[in-house]
Amino acid sequence: MGDKKLTVRAVERALDILLCFTEESELSLTEIAVKVSLNKSTVHRLLASLEGKGFLRRDPLSDRYRLGLSLWELSSNLVHEDDPAQLFYPDMRKLRDALGETISLYVRDERERIRIQAIESNHPIRRVARIGIRLPLSVGASGKALVAFSDLETQNYILRDPGWPELVDLNRYRQQLERISRDGYATSLEERESGTSAVAAPIFDRHRQLLGVLSVSGPVSRLTEEKMREIAPIVMDAAMRMGRMTLIRQ
């Protein structure tokens, strides 16, 4: 039993190391050790194993690590027609072309949201959307939409989080959820990032379960409150069409 526990723990630590690269493209041994809260000798052994299997590669000049080809080989089998990130991509591109702003697709993972697909605006000044990034549910149009259109049990799970940010007033947030549920979409104006605004609408599957949210974001100079109200019906209509696509394919 002891050996099995050690093996499982080593696997967990190796996965923690890989997850460090969700926000950084390259890291040093010291930076990784700090992120996973392990001593450098332990991290060095795990890095050697991951490098040996091709999950990481080390630049001999800078002595920094990057993701390896094995992850790309695995990801090639992840993409299929039922994957929302691929299924909705053509419609997201059409929406980007129609509105001119950055389009993102978010899903909820526990008490966070993850951007699983994005198509950036063609404008020189645009909202840069990195795929795979994890963001809070407490701020931003997409986060609020994911909570507002979830079932009551899920909402309670999220809102009773002991780690809820102190700067986000929970009562005011609940009021926002009620309005979002009534309107059918959510907006945000410089909530998470200065100079950025967004409007988001829910995507439901054939069982009326929340699949994710479709978001349009851009600089506040173009995506004003008035503009967001104007394009909200377009975003909701696009999200509804995407939901119908799951009906066709299931």
Side-chain angles (χ1 to χ4, degrees):
M1 286 295 291
D3 289 344
K4 288 183 179 179
K5 286 184 178 180
L6 288 174
T7 300
V8 170
R9 184 61 184 142
V11 172
E12 289 176 345
R13 288 173 169 176
L15 292 173
D16 285 341
I17 288 174
L18 290 177
L19 288 172
C20 289
F21 292 87
T22 58
E23 297 182 0
E24 304 287 346
S25 61
E26 60 176 33
L27 293 163
S28 68
L29 185 154
T30 300
E31 289 169 338
I32 294 170
V34 170
K35 282 179 175 290
V36 297
S37 301
L38 293 172
N39 62 62
K40 288 198 283 188
S41 60
T42 299
V43 172
H44 186 269
R45 289 196 299 271
L46 292 168
L47 287 172
S49 296
L50 290 168
E51 187 179 4
K53 292 293 184 180
F55 289 99
L56 292 177
R57 57 189 177 90
R58 184 179 65 86
D59 186 329
L61 297 178
S62 65
D63 205 27
R64 295 174 71 82
Y65 293 84
R66 301 178 66 91
L67 293 176
L69 293 177
S70 290
L71 283 171
W72 293 107
E73 292 170 351
L74 286 175
S75 67
S76 67
N77 292 319
L78 176 66
V79 176
H80 53 84
E81 64 176 8
D82 295 324
D83 175 16
Q86 302 305 314
L87 180 63
F88 300 151
Y89 184 87
D91 274 47
M92 291 175 64
R93 193 175 188 87
K94 289 178 184 176
L95 188 62
R96 190 279 309 273
D97 293 343
L99 299 180
E101 300 295 352
T102 296
I103 311 298
S104 299
L105 178 64
Y106 288 90
V107 296
R108 183 182 68 85
D109 182 30
E110 294 295 320
R111 291 185 170 105
E112 294 180 306
R113 57 185 163 118
I114 304 175
R115 184 185 291 124
I116 63 170
Q117 186 59 280
I119 302 176
E120 292 185 5
S121 166
N122 289 325
H123 288 292
I125 299 175
R126 62 183 180 271
R127 171 77 166 80
V128 177
R130 186 157 55 83
I131 296 173
I133 191 171
R134 287 178 174 267
L135 298 168
L137 294 170
S138 54
V139 292
S142 298
K144 291 183 294 186
L146 282 168
V147 181
F149 295 104
S150 292
D151 57 75
L152 187 59
E153 182 180 354
T154 300
Q155 283 191 16
N156 288 334
Y157 167 74
I158 294 167
L159 298 178
R160 290 172 182 170
D161 180 10
W164 185 264
E166 293 182 2
L167 294 177
V168 181
D169 183 86
L170 195 54
N171 290 328
R172 183 171 179 273
Y173 186 86
R174 289 181 185 274
Q175 292 172 0
Q176 289 179 323
L177 295 183
E178 292 177 4
R179 184 174 66 252
I180 291 165
S181 181
R182 183 178 64 251
D183 294 344
Y185 67 94
T187 62
S188 61
L189 191 66
E190 296 188 291
E191 286 188 10
R192 194 181 66 82
E193 290 183 39
S194 177
T196 300
S197 54
V199 55
I203 303 172
F204 293 103
D205 68 11
R206 63 174 178 161
H207 303 294
R208 291 298 296 171
Q209 296 295 312
L210 185 63
L211 256 180
V213 297
L214 180 67
S215 167
V216 179
S217 59
V220 294
S221 58
R222 290 198 305 264
L223 210 53
T224 62
E225 290 187 68
E226 181 181 358
K227 184 65 175 179
M228 286 191 286
R229 285 194 297 270
E230 178 186 323
I231 69 172
I234 300 173
V235 180
M236 288 189 288
D237 185 60
M240 189 178 298
R241 287 199 308 273
M242 291 177 184
R244 292 195 187 112
M245 291 172 69
T246 63
L247 276 171
I248 296 171
R249 296 171 183 266
Q250 293 182 20

